[in-house]
Each structure stands twice: as structure tokens, then as C-alpha cells.
Amino acid sequence: MKPLGIFGGTFDPIHLGHLCVAWEASELLDADVLMMPSGVPPHRPPPIAGAPERLAMLQVALRGQSRLIPDGRELARSGPSYTVDTLVELRSEHGDRPLVLLLGADAFAGLPDWHGWRRLFDLAHVGVLSRPGEQTVLPDELAQANTGRWVDDPAALRTRVAGKLIALSVTPLEISATRIRELIATGREPRYQLPSGLFDRADLLAPYRR
């Protein structure tokens, strides 16, 4: 069965770096990918733009294609956005369809700090997004939990619903949401860093203006 990827983030704002790696992961896995803005991220300050603005920006950014799909479920949830809760929901909805949680290498290395992190492997595979040749040092607890999980062939993810790990080499775009917010706040226009459609929606970029 064709896998379903999950790519989350604050998307404050969504930018071309997010879209590039999500698209490449989708191609490598031959999977649709849910693009999922987080509501209240538990490990970082709250987003500047509100939930409606971030979801609307994502919808604008994803027009004209069907591989990357906006999903606003975490924005409607009260309290912190825990990935394990989202995966429980998705598993209930999609039955035995393989799910693939897409994480950057740094986020993956920090997995032991996540709420209910060990349950993630019962609910989904994990695709670790890294730049070519990048190697990340993993904490011992995580390295031990990974034993026997790594696969090289994306097709192997189709034979089970969850529990495997795969490294996905993607093209990194050195684009920073923090820098984009700084540019907008000072009246500049970060063309070629944001999806072009956002520049036609001044209302969506208004939260970043001083």
C-alpha cells in the first residue's frame, strides 16, 4: 500500500526550504505527504502568526499540485501539539496504511525529549531527512531503540505499517523562517524564499510587520 508521509512544523511562515525537502521526500518514498502546522509547539516559543493565517499560507503555497496536502488538525487541538497524539488519530483513520513521520536529522537526534517518543515506532515509520553525507550523533538511548530498524530501500516500508527507519538524502535550502520574519518586519520583501502566492496576500504576512 502506498505510504502516507507526515511533515510537521510551525510553518511561521511556510517557506521554500520546507516545501523543497517535503517534495523530495515524497518522491523518494512515492508517497503523499500531509503538511501539518503545529498548534502549540511544546519545545519552542509560540508562533507569531495565528492558526488561521498559518493554515491559509500553507493552502496558498500548495496550490497547483496534489502530492503535498495541507492538514490543519493540530491547529484545532487545545494544549500542546504532541506528535504521538496525531499519529494515534492518523492510525485510526488509515488502518494498515504505512505512515512515515518525516523528521530532520537534528529533530530525530532530539527524539528522546519528545512526549511518548517510544510509541512513535508502534504507530509509524520514521524518515530521517538529511543532507548528502551528513552524519548525526545520536544519544545512546535512541541508538539502542533504533537497533534492527534501519532499511535502505523505501519499498521495505510498504511491507509493514510502522516500526522502520530510513535515511532520506534531500537538498537543503538554507532558508530561515526567523530571517524571513526579520526581513518582513523591516519592510523588505523576501522574494524567492517564500512561495510567490504569499506576496499577493498582504493580510497573511501582516503579523510579521512591525
Side-chain angles (χ1 to χ4, degrees):
M1 189 181 299
K2 189 175 183 177
L4 178 66
I6 302 98
F7 186 87
T10 53
F11 301 150
D12 189 31
I14 185 74
H15 58 64
L16 296 187
H18 298 132
L19 298 174
C20 178
V21 297
W23 183 268
E24 288 193 13
S26 174
E27 289 187 321
L28 289 169
L29 296 171
D30 187 24
D32 295 329
V33 172
L34 299 180
M35 301 290 288
M36 195 170 294
S38 59
V40 181
H43 299 300
R44 59 189 304 170
I48 292 175
E53 289 83 7
R54 288 186 291 127
L55 182 58
M57 284 190 282
L58 184 60
Q59 292 168 334
V60 169
L62 298 183
R63 286 175 182 165
Q65 58 79 52
S66 59
R67 185 183 287 270
L68 306 182
I69 304 164
D71 187 311
R73 73 181 65 220
E74 289 195 354
L75 298 175
R77 187 182 301 154
S78 60
S81 295
Y82 291 125
T83 300
V84 66
D85 296 333
T86 298
L87 292 179
V88 168
E89 286 184 12
L90 290 170
R91 177 54 63 210
S92 176
E93 293 170 12
H94 293 276
D96 290 337
R97 184 177 185 180
L99 303 177
V100 186
L101 178 64
L102 300 171
L103 298 176
D106 289 343
F108 178 65
L111 210 57
D113 293 330
W114 289 31
H115 174 73
W117 71 276
R118 291 184 181 275
R119 290 189 63 202
L120 299 179
F121 296 115
D122 297 326
L123 297 165
H125 304 299
V126 178
V128 183
L129 308 172
S130 60
R131 63 190 71 206
E134 181 181 25
Q135 292 187 338
T136 304
V137 177
L138 302 179
D140 291 342
E141 185 179 16
L142 180 58
Q144 292 172 6
N146 294 344
T147 301
R149 297 189 185 276
W150 289 101
V151 297
D152 296 322
D153 185 354
L157 304 184
R158 295 172 180 245
T159 64
R160 305 185 49 169
V161 299
K164 293 298 184 181
L165 288 162
I166 189 167
L168 301 172
S169 180
V170 295
T171 305
L173 296 184
E174 300 298 336
I175 299 176
S176 162
T178 300
R179 178 60 177 161
I180 288 172
R181 294 194 296 267
E182 291 172 350
L183 291 172
I184 296 174
T186 57
R188 294 172 62 184
E189 192 173 84
R191 291 270 173 181
Y192 312 113
Q193 298 186 60
L194 290 175
S196 59
L198 293 186
F199 294 104
D200 298 326
R201 293 292 306 272
D203 58 316
L204 297 181
L205 298 180
Y208 307 118
R209 305 189 191 281
R210 290 176 180 165

